[in-house]
Amino acid sequence: MNHNLPILVLTFPLLAAFAVNLLGKISKKHVAPWTLASLVLSSVASFFVLIDVLENGTFKYTVGGWLPPYGIELVLDPLSALMLVLVSWVALIATFSALPSIKKEMPGREHLFFSLYLILICGMMGLVITGDAFNLYVLLEITSITTYGLIAMGRGRAPLSSFNYIIMGTVGACFYLLGVGYLYLITGTLNMGDIARLLPPLYESPTVATAFCFLMVGLWIKMAFFPLHGWLPNAYTHAPAGASVLIAPLMTKVTVYLMIRIIFSVFSPQYAFLIHGRVQTLIVWAAVIAIVAASLIALSQRDLVKMLTYVVIAEVAYMVGGVWLGNTNGLTGAVFHIVNDALMTLCFFLVSSAILYRFGSTHFKDLHQLFRKMPITLCVLVVGALSVVGVPPTCGFFSKWYLLLGGIEAGHYGFVGALIFSSLVNAVIFFRVLEIAFSSAGEESVPAEISGSRETHPLMIPSLVVVAIALVVIGINAGSFLSQVIRVAVPSL
Amino acid sequence: MDGWLVDLVAKYNYWIYVVLMMIGFYAMIRKNNLVKKLIGMNIFQTAIILFFISTGAKKGGRIPIVDYEQALAGAVQAADIVNPLPHVLMLTAIVVSVSVTGVALATMLKIYKEYGSIDEDQILERVKNHEP
């Protein structure tokens, strides 16, 4: 491998963030090319990194030549390389939709928005490949602070939602930091590999258990695992459409990945699943409750975006439950679902942002006859809905299948039942949206603002179509994708 | 009783950080004023900084600046000097904490412009009036 390729993936968006900010002040027309160019470059580079890692195995990059455990290293194993590809490609596709919608929503401030946007992407890429526990905290806060800023840029309730997110997010990050502190106290190192090497003789220590609890709870707050989800729905609903299209698909998924990383690279599955066996069952039950509750709340929503945020919360619980089942099938399902769910959520938020671009509202009462007005967008929504329900040719079916297999293998029928229940609820809520979109309006409500007779901005259409195709293509090739990428990426139990 | 007292006195730094953290937590949950919530958040973060710093301390430890020649000769004992790493980590954590506070204050300004209040109850009331 070209030895500097992994760090280059991160560097492109970081440098472009400064360029966008400075040149954007002079003229707004610099914003789009710099943003897109940097993301294209890092997407292509990340793709080569993944291919190289799959061929030649794990690669460790020491930043600045400072050797671990004192220096910070970037670890590129198949799982983190897969996440790197996922983050950069989802970000690239989301940008095609974010550019026009931000231009419309906050004219004159695009350069400020996109410099934060690029730093957020850079932070997420750093999160997935870092091999240092404290560095992970710093990157977690970089992504969070940029997210707070992006959400607060919205109108109306956005700043208030962002403030609640700041309070909750900081508590989560502080818990994570405390966990790292306890691990440092007992091992004297911050490098993940080094901690994993020193930890096994200390597994009986209550300090290690405390550290594990703090790390998990901190990450659960950040990923909005059900009882700790309070900040997410309002924050993602009121954020500018261009921000939620990036944040919703990636932030929660990256945090689920971090949970897997902590369990498997810092601790060991033996520690997480065997030493405290009862805790494992408890967490899967928590996931069951989370899935059922989030699905029911989604059912009661009257706004498309708000409904989608609860679907996201239910999907987070799928993955947490899948990981904590503690068997290979469950874990395969969870890792596969990270990829699928990122694409499905991206699909939904692209659709909602296209609708917002044209009509300025996603409330159900404004969606009547939408199919006639925006046929392509609605077709994409149908594909996304089929995938989230789990209908076979789409990719959602396959990850859900592995999660179900994992549940049956672990003998955890509550989890199996919750998955099936949630799929049925998803079928109901998306069928309802489609029914409204097909039906003609009653007497009331012609949408307040309609921008032109075009379906939506021409830049948004290709990204919508690409995601819909990706959902089907990954589904059709699920067999080879699983055997060549996912199975290699899943950490061994 | 004795064991409990010994724990309390010998590990007083941990108790102080827990108490501080709970004060911050209380303010974040209970206070309606957003500024007070933010101050609670800052106390919460500071408690953790205190926890880290206190773990680096050693009885009779010197400042961690060592003589190059002595260090090469192996004459410097790790037990004699304070562990500097927690301090360095907390420098970063302070930067993070300051940035979060900055973003939170800026957000609060926007909230005040939107609703004319920083009291949570009043804001929520006005939000309800905005959205019939």
Side-chain angles (χ1 to χ4, degrees):
Chain A
M1 177 187 306
N2 176 351
H3 279 279
N4 289 321
L5 207 53
I7 198 82
L8 279 177
V9 177
L10 260 100
T11 316
F12 291 130
L14 184 63
L15 292 181
F18 292 106
V20 163
N21 199 348
L22 293 176
L23 297 175
K25 269 203 188 85
I26 302 166
S27 162
K28 297 290 164 285
K29 67 174 189 290
H30 291 298
V31 173
W34 277 92
T35 312
L36 284 177
S38 67
L39 289 175
V40 166
L41 282 174
S42 64
S43 309
V44 172
S46 71
F47 196 65
F48 283 113
V49 170
L50 176 66
I51 290 174
D52 190 89
V53 168
L54 286 177
E55 274 173 10
N56 302 330
T58 304
F59 175 76
K60 290 184 175 175
Y61 181 84
T62 48
V63 181
W66 295 86
L67 291 177
Y70 305 108
I72 292 166
E73 62 174 358
L74 305 178
V75 180
L76 287 135
D77 57 6
L79 183 57
S80 59
L82 174 68
M83 286 301 294
L84 193 63
V85 171
L86 185 71
V87 170
S88 55
W89 283 89
V90 167
L92 177 62
I93 297 171
T95 308
F96 280 103
S97 162
L99 280 169
S101 81
I102 291 305
K103 197 171 182 181
K104 189 184 169 212
E105 260 178 81
M106 43 181 86
R109 294 196 293 153
E110 296 106 307
H111 61 295
L112 301 173
F113 180 91
F114 279 101
S115 41
L116 274 185
Y117 184 93
L118 286 167
I119 295 173
L120 170 60
I121 295 169
C122 176
M124 283 191 291
M125 287 172 173
L127 267 182
V128 299
I129 58 177
T130 185
D132 185 277
F134 188 77
N135 191 233
L136 201 154
Y137 163 76
V138 176
L139 287 162
L140 201 60
E141 280 304 71
I142 288 175
T143 53
S144 299
I145 291 171
T146 45
T147 311
Y148 306 148
L150 289 175
I151 290 171
M153 279 181 179
R155 275 176 295 185
R157 275 189 76 172
L160 188 62
S161 320
S162 175
F163 189 83
N164 285 334
Y165 183 17
I166 293 176
I167 298 286
M168 283 296 275
T170 306
V171 172
C174 284
F175 277 176
Y176 177 84
L177 183 60
L178 262 181
V180 173
Y182 280 107
L183 281 184
Y184 173 69
L185 274 187
I186 201 158
T187 61
T189 175
L190 291 165
N191 182 284
M192 286 184 187
D194 217 27
I195 297 177
R197 187 174 58 80
L198 293 166
L199 220 44
L202 304 166
Y203 276 164
E204 295 299 316
S205 153
T207 312
V208 177
T210 316
F212 190 66
C213 285
F214 273 128
L215 292 175
M216 284 298 126
V217 175
L219 289 177
W220 286 340
I221 294 176
K222 287 274 184 192
M223 75 173 75
F225 186 45
F226 172 66
L228 309 169
H229 71 288
W231 55 268
L232 188 142
N234 277 334
Y236 286 9
T237 309
H238 299 291
S244 53
V245 81
L246 173 74
I247 298 167
L250 288 178
M251 271 305 274
T252 47
K253 259 53 78 178
V254 166
T255 328
V256 171
Y257 158 84
L258 291 179
M259 184 183 74
I260 298 177
R261 180 101 292 183
I262 297 289
I263 292 176
F264 290 90
S265 304
V266 177
F267 293 84
S268 61
Q270 286 77 23
Y271 180 79
F273 303 141
L274 294 179
I275 294 186
H276 303 291
R278 224 175 270 160
V279 176
Q280 182 196 359
T281 325
L282 213 67
I283 292 171
V284 181
W285 276 112
V288 169
I289 296 169
I291 294 171
V292 173
S295 302
L296 288 177
I297 301 173
L299 197 56
S300 71
Q301 297 304 316
R302 285 276 168 275
D303 183 278
L304 181 63
V305 179
K306 195 109 183 210
M307 184 191 91
L308 292 176
T309 59
Y310 283 101
V311 173
V312 170
I313 294 170
E315 303 277 327
V316 166
Y318 282 22
M319 291 175 267
V320 175
V323 171
W324 278 88
L325 284 172
N327 56 44
T328 310
N329 277 335
L331 195 59
T332 311
V335 172
F336 196 10
H337 205 69
I338 289 179
V339 177
N340 294 344
D341 192 39
L343 290 173
M344 289 188 293
T345 317
L346 176 65
C347 170
F348 293 140
F349 276 83
L350 283 174
V351 168
S352 69
S353 122
I355 297 173
L356 273 175
Y357 184 83
R358 180 136 182 232
F359 297 114
S361 159
T362 52
H363 196 278
F364 284 174
K365 69 176 164 44
D366 298 329
L367 299 183
H368 288 289
Q369 284 191 315
L370 202 61
F371 200 84
R372 218 184 52 202
K373 295 170 200 154
M374 307 177 74
I376 304 174
T377 314
L378 261 288
C379 286
V380 173
L381 181 65
V382 170
V383 176
L386 288 178
S387 182
V388 83
V389 172
V391 179
T394 52
C395 62
F397 169 76
F398 296 94
S399 50
K400 212 172 259 184
W401 177 251
Y402 275 92
L403 288 173
L404 285 173
L405 282 183
I408 293 167
E409 192 185 320
H412 206 297
Y413 294 101
F415 187 66
V416 176
L419 279 180
I420 295 169
F421 174 76
S422 162
S423 305
L424 291 176
V425 171
N426 282 341
V428 172
I429 58 181
F430 282 102
F431 185 74
R432 192 171 59 182
V433 172
L434 294 174
E435 192 197 353
I436 293 169
F438 276 110
S439 70
S440 58
E443 59 277 11
E444 90 278 30
S445 94
V446 179
E449 41 172 323
I450 303 177
S451 327
S453 56
R454 283 186 312 189
E455 172 152 347
T456 183
H457 193 279
L459 258 181
M460 287 179 171
I461 302 287
S463 55
L464 279 164
V465 175
V466 164
V467 175
I469 292 173
L471 286 173
V472 177
V473 166
I474 291 181
I476 290 172
N477 297 314
S480 54
F481 186 61
L482 266 166
S483 61
Q484 281 164 21
V485 183
I486 301 285
R487 283 211 193 287
V488 186
V490 168
S492 56
L493 277 161
Chain B
M1 183 68 190
D2 266 358
W4 180 82
L5 262 182
V6 167
D7 268 358
L8 185 72
V9 176
K11 301 197 165 118
Y12 67 95
N13 55 336
Y14 296 119
W15 290 105
I16 290 173
Y17 112 74
V18 170
V19 169
L20 272 178
M21 211 170 137
M22 288 304 116
I23 293 172
F25 215 44
Y26 173 82
M28 272 192 276
I29 295 169
R30 195 60 208 282
K31 294 293 174 191
N32 274 332
N33 190 314
L34 296 185
V35 176
K36 287 185 183 168
K37 266 183 197 279
L38 184 63
I39 292 172
M41 190 183 90
N42 271 317
I43 296 174
F44 194 83
Q45 289 174 317
T46 313
I48 293 171
I49 293 173
L50 187 70
F51 159 72
F52 264 85
I53 297 291
S54 70
T55 63
K58 282 171 194 163
K59 212 167 196 173
R62 288 189 290 119
I63 52 167
I65 299 173
V66 295
D67 190 69
Y68 185 64
E69 301 289 328
Q70 273 186 356
L72 280 186
V76 178
Q77 295 293 318
D80 291 339
I81 51 174
V82 169
N83 183 0
L85 193 72
H87 298 66
V88 179
L89 297 180
M90 284 311 104
L91 216 53
T92 318
I94 289 169
V95 173
V96 168
S97 151
V98 168
S99 337
V100 174
T101 312
V103 175
L105 286 172
T107 311
M108 217 183 290
L109 265 180
K110 272 193 98 175
I111 295 175
Y112 186 74
K113 274 184 194 149
E114 181 86 25
Y115 300 105
S117 166
I118 48 167
D119 185 274
E120 206 170 29
D121 289 343
Q122 286 182 13
I123 293 172
L124 288 179
E125 210 169 278
R126 278 166 212 182
V127 167
K128 259 186 206 147
N129 296 340
H130 274 287
E131 297 164 5

